[in-house]
Structures are given as C-alpha cells and as structure tokens.
Amino acid sequence: MERTLRDWRAVLVFVGPALLLYALVVLVPILWSLGYTVYEGSPIAGFKFVGVSNYLRLLEDPTFWKALWFGTKYALFVSAGQVIFGLALALLYAFYLKKSSVLVRTLVFLPVVLPTVAVAQMFVKLFAIAPQYGLVNSLLSAVGLESAVQAWLGQGSSAFWIIGVMDIWKAMGFYAILLFTGLVDIPEETIEAARLDGAQGWTLARFVVLPLLAPITVASLIFSLNGTLKVFDSILALTNGGPGTATTPLTLYMYKTSFTYGEYGYGSTIALTLALQCLLVTLLIFWRARRSGT
Amino acid sequence: MQRSASLSVPNKTPPVNRWAWLSRLPMTLLVLLVVFIAVYPVVWIFLSSLKGADEFTANPMWALPQALHWENYARAWTEGNMSRYFINSVLSVIPSLVLVIVLGTMAAFGIEIMRWRLRNVASLLFLAGIMVPIQIVILPLFTIYFNVHLLDTRLALIITYTAFGLPLVVFFLVGYFKSFAREIIEAAIVDGANIYQVFYKIALPMVSNAIVTVALVQFFFMWNDLLVSLTFTSNPELRTVQSGLLAFTGQYGQREWGPTFASIALAVAPTVLVYLLLNQMVMKGMAAGAVKG
C-alpha cells in the first residue's frame, strides 16, 4: 500500500497539471508584478528601469491618496453594514423564524448570486434622473418631494452612499448565512444554562450569544474587508469612478493607470499598495481579536 | 441546521389569546420588509422588461406593465447582441468549469491521499492563492498573453478562470478527502487496486456531491466575472454577457429602456435559475468556501 501511495509518477500525474497551471498563471505573475514596480512603460511601448521613482511618485500623487482614502472609507462603511445587517438577519433567522426561516433565507440570499454588472445596471435605472425618472426619483416626485429629486449617481457624495447601499444589499444575505451557521453551531446546553441563570433577550444575545459567535464574526469581517477593499465591478459599472475621481478606489485607479494610460510600472505599484492594505487590515483584526481574548 | 429550534423559549402552554397575532405583527412586518427589500429590485427588472416604450414616460416606474412586450427580449437578444455574449460566456465558462473540476479534483486527491514529501508545501501554495487579489497579477498576465498572442481569445479567459478557480476547488475537496475517504481508499489498495482505479472508482464517487457544490460556486464566479473578460478581450465580438452588458447599457440603453431591462434580465437569468433550483447547495457551498478562504 505504501508503495502505491508513494508512486512519484502518479503524484506527478495528479498534482502536476494543476500546480503547473497555477504556478504559471498565479504564482509567477505575483513576483513578476513586484518586479514591475521598478519599471516604467508597457508591453506595447517597452519597459525602462526607473528604480524607486514609482514609489516616490506614489507619495506625491494626490489622486493616489484620494483613492486610498476613498477605498478605505468605503470598505469600512460597507463592511460594517454587511456584517451588522448580516448579524441582525442571522439573529432573526435563528431566534425568531427558527425552522420556518428556510424560505426567508433563500430569498434574502438571492442578490448574492446576481452578477454585479447587472445589479449595477439595475441600480443605475433605480436612481436615474434622465431620460426618465428612475424608481427612486419617481417615488420622491409622487409623494411631493420634487425638491429631493436629483442625479444620485452624478454627485460624488450621494454616489458614495448608493454604491455602498448596493454592495450591502447584495452581500448581506451571504453574511447572514455565514453567521447563522455559526449561531446554529452554538451548543444548546450553553444557551439553556444561560437561560436557567436568568439571561433573556438582549442580555442573552449580548453576553452569551455574541461572544460565542465572535470567531465567525471576525472571519466575516476579514472576508468582508478584503472584498470591499478590492471593490471594482460595482463602481466601474455604477459610476466608472466619477464624477471626476470622486468615487475612484485603488483598484479602479490602478486599472485606469495601467490600461488607459499604459503605465504598467506605476499600476503595479498601486496594486502592491492594495495588496499590502488587505494584508495589514487582516493582521490588524487578528491582532485585535486575539488581544480581546476571542 | 435543525438545532436552531433549540434556541427557542422552552414551551410553556400559552393561554389562549385571540390577540396573540397582534403581538407578532411588528416582527412579521419586519420579516416581510426584509424579503421585499431583497427581492423587489429583481422583480422590478423583470416587470420593467415587459413594458412598452411609451409606458416609461407615461406611467410611474412602479406601475405594472399594461401589455406584455416580449419583443423587448427579442430585440435585446438580436439588436443588443445578447445572443453573441451568451455564446461567448458559455464557451468560456463551460470549458473552465470542466478544467477546474478535473484538475482540482486530481490535485486534491494527490495532495491529501498520496504520501510525498512536499505535499504540505503544495497545499500551502494553493491556500495562499485564495487570498491573492487578482489585481496584482493582471498586468503580468496581460504581458504574458500579449507575448504568446492569447489576447482577444477565449483561451485567455479559460486559462485565467481555471487557474484562479483552482485554490478554492483544491481546498474544498482536500477537506472532503480528509474527513472520510482515507480508510476506504487504503482498504481498496490493500485489495490490489492501482492508484488510478482508486481515484476513478472509489475516491471520485465519494466526493461527487462536493464536486457539484464547488462547481456551482465556480459557475457563479465565472458567469459573473467582469474584470478578466474586460481586461483580456477588447474585441466586441468576444465580449461575455457581463462585459457586453456594460457596453450595451452604456450607450444604447440610455434611449431604449425596455430592451435594456430585458438585457439585464437575460444577464441574471442563468444565475437566478440555477440558484432557485439548487439554493440549499449554493448557500452551503458559498459559506463553506468563505470560511475556508
């Protein structure tokens, strides 16, 4: 048996193709991308070694700092929304709807599987002002709030909220399922014991359920922040980063720098800051979670 | 899933109270509101896709369609080029799915069942891939595809989808092999089966359910992708449903809302259908994938 399991040719047959493809398309390009950060140019125009100048340029580029700030602000807002609404829904499923929650869970999860581009096009129509009022402006106008009718996606401030609302709406069902699974995994004896000790309702939730749910909440938060820091599809399809660069996160700035202006070296440098930001946020949450003893 | 019931208040026999439903009313309304918020935009898209051009100006946006203008779909399908985008999506998603499942299942088997020195390293490499943002590799990939003349081909999409799908598939299936396959597989080897027979006749049937689940998750990722298809194809003839929809609704859609809504409905239709048919599996698969990631 040992000999069969140690047959290196069989190992090669089973793992070789996947590992080779994966190495060529994912692993090698990661290193390659790091190399790009000290070059300038594109495959079409050719490359030139420029040392650390891309990094220096980063420090002095106001658009970069604006994109970094927008992306961070956006990620914090949307992740908070996704996890808080997800948690509220999970508690609703587990404590109120109980066994009959299957249908509700199924329907609330529906937006999760929809393509972001299609959802974004739908939101464009929901908030449209021209050529016709979309659903929202149409409603506002019908209840006499004609003054509140506006080009929701044409202004940086309101566009921020709409992209945020869309991404929360789209993902809350997902976090609800994740946290619900965690809730269901809490041993019933623990809940029973707390009940016998007189814990009920909010007290039960605050001092018993939520602490027990902390590990999966932390996982949700990490997952959500990593997703929202990389937001691309929804913003591209909703506002394309505009008006101006008002709703441009790092991903979109990197994409435009690279493919609109053909600056691959600088684009890679921006991509690197994005990867570092994701890593930093993840480590920070792990560290906070460990310190608070969960 | 069943144990959620145990979280309820212990059953005391409640006094008969004809107004009991009233106390439940606020929560019932809340639940209805939640479901409404989740589902209504999708219903709105579908209803709007059946409206005639004049209805968009004459009636409020929430009004029901007066007559069913199915021709919006025909126009989206032909004039809006949705038929071409559908073919492109299918021709890049289906081969990618087959490849990622075949390669991923084999790799998971090789990593978890076979005994070799660097298997932990291989396993770790795949794990790392779950966390790599695709943005960081998209520029080198563009250069590679440019140099080997793969830009503007479906093969570029297939290769990218497959490679980026592998980490999740491998991890998902390694978990399955770990949980219950080992003894049975060892018994089969003792009985004289060779490693390929073990894989094909014993291991594969054991993880077939897991394969379906992880294939579903991959289907949603691939069908919904924008970044990869946008980056590696610039020829409108090669656009997939999502990148095609983006271009289509951008210009044409400003003028004609009926066909625009129909094209959005067409873009979401496959995922909605697959989800409605297999929702429990999709939910479990996505949640498991996220936790492992």
Side-chain angles (χ1 to χ4, degrees), chain A residues 16-44:
Chain A
L19 203 57
L20 185 70
L21 178 70
Y22 175 68
L24 285 177
V25 179
V26 183
L27 298 179
V28 173
I30 294 176
L31 301 175
W32 193 323
S33 185
L34 292 180
Y36 265 167
T37 62
V38 291
Y39 282 90
E40 188 183 277
S42 73
I44 294 133

Side-chain angles (χ1 to χ4, degrees), chain B residues 86-273:
Chain B
F86 253 75
I87 292 170
N88 288 338
S89 273
V90 168
L91 288 183
S92 50
V93 167
I94 300 290
S96 308
L97 269 181
V98 172
L99 266 177
V100 79
I101 293 299
V102 170
L103 295 183
T105 313
M106 283 166 53
F109 178 85
I111 286 173
E112 182 53 32
I113 301 297
M114 301 203 62
R115 296 275 154 253
W116 45 295
R117 202 179 316 154
L118 293 175
R119 50 192 282 267
N120 289 328
V121 177
S123 170
L124 213 65
L125 283 179
F126 279 113
L127 177 64
I130 296 181
M131 288 170 246
V132 173
I134 193 164
Q135 277 87 1
I136 201 162
V137 296
I138 205 131
L139 291 177
L141 273 184
F142 188 90
T143 313
I144 296 172
Y145 293 155
F146 175 78
N147 285 324
V148 298
H149 303 287
L150 274 178
L151 282 185
D152 269 327
T153 65
R154 275 188 206 106
L155 196 56
L157 302 186
I158 294 170
I159 290 172
T160 317
Y161 290 149
T162 307
F164 273 87
L166 278 173
L168 187 68
V169 176
V170 169
F171 252 81
F172 203 81
L173 296 177
V174 159
Y176 264 77
F177 281 128
K178 192 175 282 176
S179 60
F180 57 83
R182 178 142 287 274
E183 288 76 18
I184 302 167
I185 284 170
E186 286 179 351
I189 296 171
V190 170
D191 285 349
N194 74 39
I195 197 75
Y196 303 102
Q197 290 170 323
V198 166
F199 174 73
Y200 188 69
K201 291 192 176 152
I202 295 160
L204 213 51
M206 288 174 95
V207 293
S208 57
N209 283 336
I211 286 177
V212 175
T213 309
V214 78
L216 278 174
V217 176
Q218 294 294 334
F219 166 75
F220 288 109
F221 285 155
M222 292 172 187
W223 186 270
N224 296 351
D225 162 73
L226 173 69
L227 179 62
V228 172
S229 74
L230 201 63
T231 309
F232 299 139
T233 58
S234 55
N235 180 352
E237 288 297 299
L238 282 169
R239 289 219 171 98
T240 57
V241 170
Q242 310 308 329
S243 56
L245 183 68
L246 189 67
F248 166 67
T249 45
Q251 7 131 354
Y252 175 86
Q254 287 302 333
R255 298 195 303 273
E256 300 238 35
W257 280 38
T260 305
F261 278 110
S263 66
I264 300 174
L266 283 170
V268 304
T271 60
V272 170
L273 280 178

Side-chain angles (χ1 to χ4, degrees), chain A residues 257-275:
Chain A
T257 305
S258 315
F259 293 110
T260 311
Y261 303 108
E263 303 190 72
Y264 278 47
Y266 194 47
S268 290
T269 317
I270 301 171
L272 179 65
T273 62
L274 176 73

